[in-house]
């Protein structure tokens, strides 16, 4: 697929998504469009942001480099451990080798059902910080990586966000 075809495909996806309700964001099946790995992470996250009328994220090579550096460290143990770096961060682990960026993003976005905007909190005992990082209004850039871990330990994926979000007491959008 040429760069122009990829751009047209992404634009088409965004136009189709402008009618998505904020209460039920739907993620496009980006894998079927033959998009790059970067776009497989970026397009569905921007679809969720678009549903909330939050400006789209842009791919950042520096953040991608950081994500790849950290994912490479996790390649040997596949541990679901954060890097504790300077960026916002979502991580994902799945057993086996077939996990895709869309599946990682879907897992993070699925936390939306636990987020309570009015109280700016998660439902009792639930996690929703991956979702709120994706839709954090002030975040502008993203970089992600995916590695298959050694010895069949699974797949590790990470996205880093700049500026980071999830500041205590602040709403994401």
């Amino acid at each position: 697929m040429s760069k122009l075809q990829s751009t047209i495909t992404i634009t088409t996806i965004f136009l189709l998504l402008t009618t998505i309700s904020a209460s039920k964001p739907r993620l496009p099946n980006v894998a079927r469009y033959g998009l790059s790995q970067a776009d497989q992470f970026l397009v569905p996250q921007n679809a969720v942001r678009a549903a909330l009328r939050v400006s789209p994220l842009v791919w950042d090579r520096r953040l991608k480099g950081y994500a790849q550096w950290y994912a490479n460290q996790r390649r040997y143990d596949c541990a679901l451990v954060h890097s504790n770096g300077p960026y916002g961060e979502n991580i994902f682990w799945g057993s086996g080798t077939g996990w895709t960026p869309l599946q990682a993003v879907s897992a993070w976005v699925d936390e939306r059902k636990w987020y309570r905007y009015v109280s700016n909190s998660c439902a009792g005992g639930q996690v929703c910080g991956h979702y709120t990082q994706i839709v954090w209004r002030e975040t502008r850039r993203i970089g992600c990586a995916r590695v298959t871990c050694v010895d069949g330990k699974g797949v590790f994926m990470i996205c880093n966000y700049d500026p980071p979000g999830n500041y205590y007491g602040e709403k994401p959008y």
Side-chain angles (χ1 to χ4, degrees), residues 83-98:
S83 72
N84 295 316
Y87 307 113
E89 185 170 275
N90 285 346
I91 57 176
F92 173 91
W93 171 83
S95 64
T97 60

Side-chain angles (χ1 to χ4, degrees), residues 9-55:
T9 299
I10 293 168
T11 303
T12 302
I13 290 169
F14 281 121
L15 291 174
L16 291 172
L17 293 169
T18 57
T19 59
I20 293 174
S21 159
S23 64
K24 291 264 188 187
R26 295 180 194 188
L27 299 178
N29 182 356
V30 294
R32 78 175 214 194
Y33 292 104
L35 298 179
S36 68
Q37 186 175 32
D39 284 337
Q40 289 179 46
F41 280 111
L42 185 63
V43 170
Q45 292 188 67
N46 278 337
V48 173
R49 291 172 67 89
L52 296 169
R53 301 187 197 283
V54 176
S55 62

Side-chain angles (χ1 to χ4, degrees), residues 74-79 93 147-156:
R74 296 279 62 93
R75 180 184 308 268
Y76 300 100
D77 61 10
C78 229
W93 171 83
V147 295
T148 301
C149 301
V150 299
D151 298 329
K153 291 180 180 139
V155 172
F156 180 87

Side-chain angles (χ1 to χ4, degrees), residues 23 31 50-51 56 76 97 105 114 117 126 132 134 136 151 153 156 158-159 165 171:
S23 64
Y76 300 100
T97 60
V105 173
W114 306 120
Y117 185 81
Q126 302 299 324
T132 54
I134 288 171
W136 198 264
D151 298 329
K153 291 180 180 139
F156 180 87
I158 178 173
C159 285
K171 289 187 176 180

Side-chain angles (χ1 to χ4, degrees), residues 48-65:
V48 173
R49 291 172 67 89
L52 296 169
R53 301 187 197 283
V54 176
S55 62
L57 299 169
V58 296
W59 191 256
D60 185 287
R61 296 177 106 184
R62 178 178 47 94
L63 291 173
K64 196 287 189 219

